[in-house]
Amino acid sequence: MARAWQQAHGGSGTAEERRHLVQARDALQGVIRGSLPATSLTALVEGVTSHPQVSPEGVSWRLDAPEERRMAVEAVLAWSRLLETMPGRLRACANPECRLFLLDRSKGNKARWCSMALCGNRMKARRHYQRSRDGAAEQPPAD
């Protein structure tokens, strides 16, 4: 399944490429969640360069990275672009059981869940259940 995903997203599907992707995923999880410093991403981009290419459409950049690391490097670069273009908008889902992130596009920058339909609904249902259970425990027994 991972191989098919890699190939569908422009990768080769090799085990080495997958190993670098997992390393990037784990490091990015830690950085975004605050358990790792951003410098933990250094090894992923070490030795990588980018070269400008000018065309009538403007300047584009060609990534020069070992093929087995290219997708992992692209993930780190995507994270970096989000930090620059949407500062403070990328964060972990507030559901502690979820490993996903959200890109908050709300006006107040107060979104909490990766999906209101999934995590948001689950967390609200849990809080409601807990409140009703706590309230029932505080009720005096009926005579």
Side-chain angles (χ1 to χ4, degrees):
M1 188 143 119
R3 181 183 178 122
W5 182 92
Q6 288 168 247
Q7 291 173 331
H9 291 85
S12 61
T14 64
E16 184 70 10
E17 180 181 69
R18 187 168 35 261
R19 185 177 70 76
H20 288 290
L21 279 167
V22 168
Q23 182 184 5
R25 178 203 62 199
D26 293 346
L28 285 166
Q29 283 275 349
V31 169
I32 295 168
R33 292 181 187 283
S35 62
L36 291 174
T39 55
S40 64
L41 300 169
T42 301
L44 293 164
V45 295
E46 196 168 338
V48 173
T49 58
S50 190
H51 303 281
Q53 295 180 320
V54 181
S55 70
E57 290 80 34
V59 177
S60 62
W61 293 87
R62 181 180 53 83
L63 186 64
D64 187 12
E67 189 57 33
E68 67 276 2
R69 289 177 44 210
R70 185 184 53 78
M71 289 183 79
V73 169
E74 287 174 347
V76 173
L77 292 175
W79 163 78
S80 180
R81 276 190 301 276
L82 283 173
L83 287 183
E84 290 175 24
T85 60
M86 300 182 81
R89 297 293 181 150
L90 175 67
R91 61 181 158 272
C93 179
N95 178 354
E97 298 169 2
C98 182
R99 292 189 57 162
L100 299 178
F101 299 99
L102 65 115
L103 189 55
D104 189 354
R105 291 185 171 100
S106 70
K107 187 174 184 176
N109 195 24
K110 297 204 186 278
R112 298 179 57 196
W113 300 288
C114 63
S115 164
M116 188 59 202
L118 297 174
C119 287
N121 190 42
R122 286 181 189 143
M123 297 305 290
K124 286 182 174 187
R126 284 181 192 162
R127 281 198 313 268
H128 174 74
Y129 174 74
Q130 186 66 41
R131 281 192 309 266
S132 63
R133 202 176 84 183
D134 291 348
E138 294 174 9
Q139 296 290 327
D143 291 326

